[in-house]
Amino acid sequence: PQREAPHMIRSMTGYGKVDATIAGRPCTIELRCVNGRYLEVSTRMPKEWSDKEHLVREVLRENVGRGSLTVFIRLEDNGRSAVPSFDIEAARDVAETLRSLARATNVGDSLNLEILLRYDSVFLGDRNGEDVEIWPELREALVSACAALNVMRELEGSELAKDFEARLSSIESALIDVERRSVERIPLERERLRERVRLVVDDEHIDPQRLQLELVLLADKLDVTEECVRLRTHLKHFRTYMEKEQAPGRKLNFLLQEMNREVNTIGSKTNDAEIALVVVGMKEELERMREQVQNVE
């Protein structure tokens, strides 16, 4: 019977979105994640919050282990126009500097308020009048977005786990078939070798000990017991990593390489048409698993 699929692994692909209110302003946070060898974070956030980028990245690293992750943070206009505060002395300095420049270059003095307002130094604090600590609310919203992202990643991981379990069971069934056919072939190959020797050499010239040695060596070459044992061990470890390992993607990928190596050895040692078909089926399952494991965190 097929085992119940584990649910611990996560897909690297996912999406999470949260609508929040930060410092009284509507804000939308979106996270999109796709396959990646490591954790790569790309940020798109309001310019006035750029000093919080390192904190944003830290929160994402705490909640996402691996993948190419993009965060979009968008502020929306709340419909209220804040009254700006001005630095009058700074405005006078800017005006005087511009007038001095106009006189020095013989350019007519066309200074007006619109020109002065282009200079950030004439404003006190933020141009929107926002002088509050936004990080606690922003962090809470980010954590919520990460949670939504990981829910989707876990759901996809659950589907991947079911697919892996079905293929592992298929490989196990094929392995039983290989072991049975391999054991059945050894006596036949021994008899085949004896018959070949009899056709080439007269019976009185056959060295019984040498013949027996060749038969033992042949049986050893045909025996795939060790490969089957190692392959079965790899299957067991694959399940264990899925169930208990945190972010097992790299280990699962390595195990698949080892499993493929054992299957190739089995195919080359048995040299049997029926077993070759079984081995091809096992390799197809491993290849499908290899493609899928690229998306496991």
Side-chain angles (χ1 to χ4, degrees):
Q2 186 170 310
R3 292 159 48 110
E4 182 180 352
H7 299 282
M8 288 297 293
I9 64 174
R10 284 179 179 174
S11 164
M12 278 189 280
T13 303
Y15 173 81
K17 179 182 178 181
V18 165
D19 293 318
T21 300
I22 299 176
R25 301 179 65 184
C27 177
T28 299
I29 297 178
E30 290 184 80
L31 300 178
R32 291 189 176 94
C33 194
V34 296
N35 297 3
R37 189 172 181 183
Y38 308 102
L39 178 61
E40 300 175 358
V41 179
S42 176
T43 59
R44 304 286 187 275
M45 55 192 300
K47 188 176 181 181
E48 58 263 42
W49 289 358
S50 59
D51 61 319
K52 302 295 189 295
E53 182 174 350
H54 68 290
L55 296 173
V56 170
R57 290 176 176 272
E58 184 177 332
V59 170
L60 297 177
R61 283 193 294 267
E62 290 172 356
N63 290 274
V64 180
R66 186 175 166 217
S68 181
L69 178 62
T70 303
V71 54
F72 300 89
I73 303 177
R74 290 188 292 271
L75 272 177
E76 299 177 19
D77 188 359
N78 59 8
R80 295 181 300 174
S81 298
V83 178
S85 299
F86 298 99
D87 187 334
I88 303 301
E89 290 300 321
R92 287 172 178 164
D93 291 340
V94 171
E96 183 56 36
T97 300
L98 292 175
R99 289 193 179 100
S100 297
L101 180 61
R103 289 193 296 268
T105 56
N106 294 322
V107 175
D109 185 357
S110 59
L111 181 64
N112 57 39
L113 185 60
E114 182 180 355
I115 293 175
L116 277 180
L117 291 178
R118 296 176 185 174
Y119 292 85
D120 291 338
S121 59
V122 306
F123 293 91
L124 284 174
D126 189 88
R127 295 189 65 161
N128 294 317
E130 185 179 4
D131 190 21
V132 296
E133 177 52 57
I134 56 97
W135 176 241
E137 293 178 333
L138 178 56
R139 187 185 191 285
E140 182 180 356
L142 278 169
V143 171
S144 297
C146 287
L149 171 73
N150 284 330
V151 165
M152 179 176 286
R153 282 153 52 95
E154 286 165 5
L155 287 173
E156 287 197 19
S158 176
E159 295 302 314
L160 285 174
K162 292 177 184 178
D163 184 77
F164 286 145
E165 183 54 47
R167 299 191 188 283
L168 291 172
S169 297
S170 175
I171 293 172
E172 282 179 328
S173 298
L175 190 55
I176 293 172
D177 195 17
V178 167
E179 289 174 316
R180 177 181 59 80
R181 292 175 183 273
S182 176
V183 170
E184 292 174 353
R185 281 192 66 245
I186 291 177
L188 297 175
E189 290 298 327
R190 284 176 175 171
E191 187 57 37
R192 187 177 301 173
L193 179 61
R194 285 195 180 97
E195 186 61 29
R196 287 178 180 175
V197 171
R198 290 193 186 98
L199 292 174
V200 175
V201 184
D202 294 336
D203 287 348
E204 62 267 17
H205 295 115
I206 296 176
D207 183 347
Q209 292 184 347
R210 178 60 185 272
L211 178 59
Q212 187 61 31
L213 176 60
E214 292 295 333
L215 292 173
V216 170
L217 293 175
L218 174 65
D220 183 62
K221 290 180 179 179
L222 295 174
D223 187 9
V224 293
T225 301
E226 290 186 11
E227 288 77 12
C228 291
V229 168
R230 285 196 293 267
L231 180 55
R232 192 167 275 112
T233 299
H234 294 329
L235 295 172
K236 178 182 177 182
H237 286 162
F238 196 98
R239 287 189 171 108
T240 300
Y241 289 150
M242 283 201 300
E243 293 169 358
K244 299 180 180 179
E245 191 78 14
Q246 185 72 22
R250 292 188 180 91
K251 289 185 177 180
L252 296 180
N253 189 52
F254 172 76
L255 271 179
L256 286 175
Q257 294 177 29
E258 294 300 307
M259 291 159 69
N260 193 64
R261 184 177 292 111
E262 300 300 340
V263 170
N264 282 333
T265 303
I266 290 171
S268 62
K269 289 181 72 171
T270 52
N271 192 27
D272 176 79
E274 292 184 354
I275 294 180
L277 289 176
V278 178
V279 167
V280 168
M282 295 168 74
K283 292 176 71 172
E284 287 178 350
E285 296 288 18
L286 289 173
E287 177 60 23
R288 293 190 182 99
M289 291 176 69
R290 188 194 66 78
E291 294 172 358
Q292 296 279 44
V293 86
Q294 305 306 314
N295 197 33
V296 175
E297 183 181 60

